[in-house]
Amino acid sequence: LMFLETLAPYFWLMGAVFFASSLTFFYFRRHGSVKLLILNLGILIAGIPFSPFKNFQLTLWISGGVLMLTSLIMYVSERRARK
């Protein structure tokens, strides 16, 4: 599976383009979920594959994880409020 490391930047850029289009839809049409946008942003931040960011890898993992955890907490608290 090491061959996927050479493709990781392309997959990450494709995810960033899809995130930008989702953000555009949400901004102009209010179509989508804030919680999912936060989750996707956290995944994108935690998974940055570019070599200039290798020194900040732990910081990126932590900040992406915090965003993902925040999204999960928002989702669970909304589900509990409905009951």
Side-chain angles (χ1 to χ4, degrees), residues 34-44 67-68 71-72:
V34 174
K35 295 177 286 296
L36 284 177
L37 287 173
I38 293 172
L39 178 71
N40 287 334
L41 181 63
I43 291 170
L44 282 173
L67 284 173
M68 288 185 271
S71 173
L72 181 66

Side-chain angles (χ1 to χ4, degrees), residues 44-70:
L44 282 173
I45 289 173
I48 292 178
F50 303 109
S51 56
F53 296 104
K54 292 289 183 191
N55 295 335
F56 306 107
Q57 193 72 39
L58 183 61
T59 305
L60 293 171
W61 285 347
I62 291 171
S63 59
V66 166
L67 284 173
M68 288 185 271
L69 187 61
T70 301

Side-chain angles (χ1 to χ4, degrees), residues 1-11 49-50 54:
L1 292 176
M2 289 298 289
F3 71 94
L4 288 177
E5 281 192 20
T6 59
L7 299 175
Y10 301 112
F11 289 134
F50 303 109
K54 292 289 183 191

